[in-house]
Amino acid sequence: LDVYYYDHVEDVLGPGDAPAVLSGRQGGVLAYECLNLVNGRRTVSEIRDVLTGHYTSVPLSEVAEYLDRLAGARVVSWK
């Protein structure tokens, strides 16, 4: 989604703020892993639990906000 000065989400939706935790020190890793965990069966809560267990405490609202932004860019879709 973000390769060599190109950010697909920003290109589609325009500039926007990523949720604080997902844009912080580990933000790149958290955002990458968040998208990797989307499989059509996991809930937002389950994704948050995995991120929190492996990395750092992540608020559910920020994971949902990030996934909403990805859905707006048609990277993922909600069931």
Side-chain angles (χ1 to χ4, degrees), residues 8-26:
H8 176 73
V9 175
E10 190 171 299
D11 188 45
V12 172
L13 299 178
D17 295 330
V21 170
L22 295 176
S23 63
R25 189 170 55 100
Q26 289 185 321

Side-chain angles (χ1 to χ4, degrees), residues 36-75:
N36 280 340
L37 291 167
V38 173
N39 68 358
R41 292 183 299 265
R42 287 188 186 100
T43 65
V44 175
S45 181
E46 290 171 335
I47 292 170
R48 186 275 320 264
D49 291 347
V50 171
L51 293 174
T52 295
H54 288 298
Y55 297 100
T56 188
S57 180
V58 181
L60 180 62
S61 62
E62 292 192 13
V63 174
E65 182 182 337
Y66 179 66
L67 293 173
D68 276 339
R69 188 153 168 79
L70 293 181
R74 292 185 284 307
V75 174

